[in-house]
Amino acid sequence: MDKLKVFKQYFTPNEVAEFMVKNSKINKTDKIIDPSLGDGIFFQVLLKKGYLNLYGIDIDEQIVKDDKKRYKNYKSVKTFLGNALDIKSLKSIKNNYFDMAIGNPPFSNQKNKINNPQILNYYFLRKQKQSFEILFLERFIQLVKEGGFIRIILPINIFSNTNLQYVRNFIISNLKIEAIVSLPRNIFKNTSAKTAILFGIKNHENLFGFFNNKQKNKVNLILINSKKELIGLSQLSIYDNTVGIRKNIEDIQYRMDPDYYYAALKSKKYLINNNIHFKKLKEFVKIYNGFTKYGEDKKKIYYNIDNTNRDEYIRLIKAKNISRIGFKYDDNFFIKRDEDIYKPSACVKTKDVLVIRVGAGCSGRAFCVINEKYSGQVDDWIFILRGSQVNPAFLAFYLNSSIGKEFVNMEKQGTGTISISKSKLGNVMVPVLTVKQQKEFEKYVIEMYELYEKNEVEEAQNIYNFLDKKLISYIKNNANRSPLTE
């Protein structure tokens, strides 16, 4: 049996567990529970530090057996076999009883969610199908008493995604948030999921009292950039005023992910004390969706067709076709114009800008359709940007530039799969250069594309580097602000 697939077990690094325990103002005799015990890393750290009144729950029978043997000499350490979310089946585990709940609960995916009414009926955050991590978050809060501590690792989308705002409302209503600490990818074995630690204190007994008691304290937002930084993590204090970015709760209620605020702080330098004006992308262009089909309809996607009846087909442009410095012809996919996979609204026109919406490394990557040679229909991994208020070749380059990527990255979301939504893409800030300046960029972008198409990649990359430095120079040197029509 593959326990990673069945129980979604991705065990916590020791450095992270040490950090979470160290930053908890609890007494040695306090009652502490880990509702998703796993390999017992939190127990190991707690015991090492002299905490003995420990309770653990796990759904994996072998883990519980091993833990009972491991802790048999600790009479105050209790482990229970069961699903911590199934409140009715664990009658010996009381709500509002523990001084701290700490752990790294399992995460869901689209196909693996809780849909059992006998479990869901005990949760305010219930839906017809609900994610493990959302129910575990509420379960942690249920278990601790008034003033009790919550230390929980959650997927980053809890703190960022628009459709999970109701979860953030719940957090604000039921916890005094002390800190949110964003962790780097790839620190959990066998997954690259992006996660963050929520540090909070249960602030009132009314579990369902939304916004009755909004906290007034500052929340410390901390970003851990790389696995190397984990080495010194246990020495980091969430209570240190010199660490992290401190924000009022009302300033972060709609986005709580530290990555966003660190990126915003970095990008802010371009927006202030600068004579160049920046505007939101949605003020320049309209954004359209691509289209494709899956399942059996994938048979309607044809590969490397010959020239016979070529006019019956149109290229299907995929994310793999788009590079930051040109168009890749590696994957030649086509669709028939007379089949239902063809959608005219997803077909590109000359001067359109194509932007990839999905992928950790490629979301936000852009390409300008400079002529009919690159025509086709884009798949649903790509947005089409269309408008007349900005030079499209300049816009495509800007989104790919080092400055543009900072603004794009700030708007990205996701735990495993990173993406940028249409609304978030529309919020990306774009510098307003003169028509002459934009035309100059266009000339070089076309040359870069042509070189890349001839497989002169190094020369194309040199043009990209030249333009990137040129853009930085324009913006950092505070060039005079000029209208687009100049």
Side-chain angles (χ1 to χ4, degrees):
M1 178 176 67
D2 187 343
K3 292 181 180 179
L4 286 177
K5 292 182 179 178
V6 176
F7 298 130
K8 302 299 174 188
Q9 296 169 326
Y10 300 109
F11 300 130
T12 311
N14 182 74
E15 297 90 344
V16 174
E18 289 265 3
F19 172 62
M20 291 169 69
V21 171
K22 182 200 169 197
N23 284 277
S24 304
K25 296 178 178 178
I26 49 176
N27 299 315
K28 300 296 183 183
T29 56
D30 282 349
K31 296 181 288 296
I32 303 169
I33 186 167
D34 181 349
S36 51
L37 190 58
D39 63 348
I41 184 62
F42 291 101
F43 268 25
Q44 294 168 40
V45 172
L46 286 160
L47 287 169
K48 186 173 69 175
K49 294 184 179 297
Y51 299 97
L52 298 174
N53 208 355
L54 310 180
Y55 296 71
I57 307 170
D58 203 275
I59 199 170
D60 185 336
E61 185 175 0
Q62 188 58 53
I63 278 180
V64 174
K65 283 182 180 178
D66 292 343
D67 283 336
K68 284 186 181 296
K69 291 178 183 177
R70 186 181 296 130
Y71 306 121
K72 64 181 180 180
N73 294 326
Y74 297 93
K75 295 189 182 299
S76 59
V77 174
K78 301 177 178 64
T79 54
F80 301 86
L81 175 63
N83 180 354
L85 297 176
D86 190 353
I87 296 173
K88 194 174 181 180
S89 69
L90 288 166
K91 294 179 181 178
S92 56
I93 303 296
K94 300 175 184 177
N95 286 349
N96 302 303
Y97 179 73
F98 297 93
D99 297 287
M100 183 168 78
I102 188 170
N104 177 16
F107 301 168
S108 288
N109 55 40
Q110 290 299 319
K111 297 179 181 179
N112 185 28
K113 294 187 176 183
I114 300 289
N115 59 5
N116 183 348
Q118 293 182 346
I119 293 177
L120 291 169
N121 286 341
Y122 288 92
Y123 294 89
F124 186 85
L125 293 174
R126 64 182 176 271
K127 288 193 170 186
Q128 190 172 3
K129 287 184 178 180
Q130 186 56 285
S131 300
F132 292 119
E133 61 270 19
I134 292 175
L135 296 180
F136 264 106
L137 168 63
E138 184 172 343
R139 187 73 179 113
F140 274 48
I141 295 172
Q142 289 175 349
L143 288 166
V144 299
K145 61 180 68 169
E146 177 76 9
F149 292 90
I150 302 292
R151 270 77 179 118
I152 183 172
I153 298 174
L154 294 167
I156 200 69
N157 63 347
I158 294 288
F159 305 100
S160 62
N161 284 21
T162 305
N163 65 329
L164 295 177
Q165 183 60 48
Y166 73 100
V167 182
R168 293 191 287 281
N169 292 345
F170 184 84
I171 291 171
I172 291 170
S173 298
N174 292 281
L175 292 179
K176 173 186 174 183
I177 307 173
E178 300 168 284
I180 299 168
V181 180
S182 177
L183 298 172
R185 290 184 178 277
N186 300 305
I187 65 167
F188 300 101
K189 190 176 180 181
N190 299 309
T191 180
S192 63
K194 176 72 175 167
T195 59
I197 310 168
L198 173 63
F199 291 82
I201 300 171
K202 188 170 178 179
N203 65 354
H204 58 81
E205 294 177 353
N206 180 12
L207 183 60
F208 312 119
F210 273 73
F211 295 105
N212 288 342
N213 188 17
K214 263 195 184 180
Q215 58 179 308
K216 302 297 181 185
N217 68 298
K218 296 266 188 183
V219 177
N220 200 2
L221 303 173
I222 298 172
L223 174 62
I224 308 300
N225 286 296
S226 66
K227 292 174 73 173
K228 289 182 180 178
E229 291 183 28
L230 293 183
I231 297 171
L233 185 61
S234 62
Q235 304 305 312
L236 189 67
S237 172
I238 63 170
Y239 306 107
D240 185 346
N241 289 330
T242 66
V243 173
I245 299 173
R246 292 189 174 264
K247 289 283 187 179
N248 294 319
I249 190 63
E250 57 266 24
D251 296 328
I252 66 165
Q253 60 181 312
Y254 299 113
R255 279 203 75 157
M256 295 180 173
D257 47 324
D259 307 70
Y260 175 83
Y261 293 97
Y262 275 78
L265 190 64
K266 192 175 179 182
S267 302
K268 190 177 180 181
K269 64 187 176 186
Y270 302 120
L271 303 178
I272 60 175
N273 300 322
N274 197 325
N275 290 325
I276 287 186
H277 184 50
F278 278 75
K279 293 173 71 174
K280 289 186 177 181
L281 181 61
K282 61 187 175 185
E283 297 179 53
F284 292 124
V285 301
K286 290 186 177 179
I287 304 174
Y288 301 90
N289 294 317
F291 180 77
T292 193
K293 286 194 170 187
Y294 299 96
E296 282 296 310
D297 285 317
K298 283 187 72 173
K299 294 177 181 177
K300 297 176 182 177
I301 300 175
Y302 305 92
Y303 183 72
N304 275 345
I305 62 168
D306 57 34
N307 289 322
T308 308
N309 300 321
R310 176 67 178 80
D311 291 341
E312 296 179 9
Y313 297 86
I314 184 172
R315 178 185 296 278
L316 181 64
I317 299 173
K318 303 173 82 67
K320 291 180 180 180
N321 293 124
I322 297 175
S323 159
R324 296 195 189 278
I325 56 176
F327 191 92
K328 295 180 178 179
Y329 288 93
D330 303 2
D331 295 312
N332 293 306
F333 296 99
F334 297 85
I335 57 176
K336 278 189 173 181
R337 297 176 188 270
D338 62 353
E339 295 185 333
D340 60 357
I341 194 172
Y342 173 65
K343 192 171 184 178
S345 65
C347 293
V348 301
K349 300 177 182 179
T350 301
K351 296 186 177 180
D352 283 346
V353 175
L354 312 182
V355 180
I356 301 172
R357 68 173 185 86
V358 181
C362 63
S363 57
R365 188 182 298 167
F367 174 80
C368 176
V369 182
I370 56 174
N371 56 46
E372 292 183 356
K373 179 170 59 176
Y374 304 106
S375 63
Q377 176 177 312
V378 297
D379 70 11
D380 60 357
W381 280 44
I382 299 171
F383 289 128
I384 302 171
L385 276 54
R386 188 172 294 158
S388 58
Q389 287 190 303
V390 64
N391 184 297
F394 164 71
L395 178 59
F397 173 77
Y398 169 71
L399 294 173
N400 291 328
S401 71
S402 56
I403 294 176
K405 281 188 285 187
E406 288 183 20
F407 284 101
V408 171
N409 289 340
M410 189 167 65
E411 300 296 340
K412 290 180 181 180
Q413 297 177 335
T415 299
T417 302
I418 301 299
S419 65
I420 187 166
S421 67
K422 186 187 292 188
S423 62
K424 298 295 184 184
L425 181 60
N427 288 332
V428 170
M429 302 301 290
V430 180
V432 180
L433 300 187
T434 66
V435 170
K436 182 180 177 180
Q437 288 168 335
Q438 293 182 63
K439 275 287 187 183
E440 189 177 4
F441 275 90
E442 179 185 38
K443 180 183 72 172
Y444 284 110
V445 167
I446 291 172
E447 183 182 350
M448 179 176 71
Y449 288 174
E450 289 173 348
L451 286 168
Y452 186 76
E453 192 174 329
K454 295 175 185 175
N455 206 30
E456 297 178 21
V457 177
E458 186 176 347
E459 291 81 355
Q461 185 64 50
N462 287 339
I463 291 179
Y464 170 90
N465 295 339
F466 165 75
L467 290 178
D468 198 51
K469 290 177 182 176
K470 191 178 189 67
L471 182 63
I472 291 170
S473 175
Y474 275 148
I475 294 175
K476 286 191 173 180
N477 289 338
N478 297 323
N480 290 330
R481 173 182 167 185
S482 305
L484 283 166
T485 54
E486 185 176 308

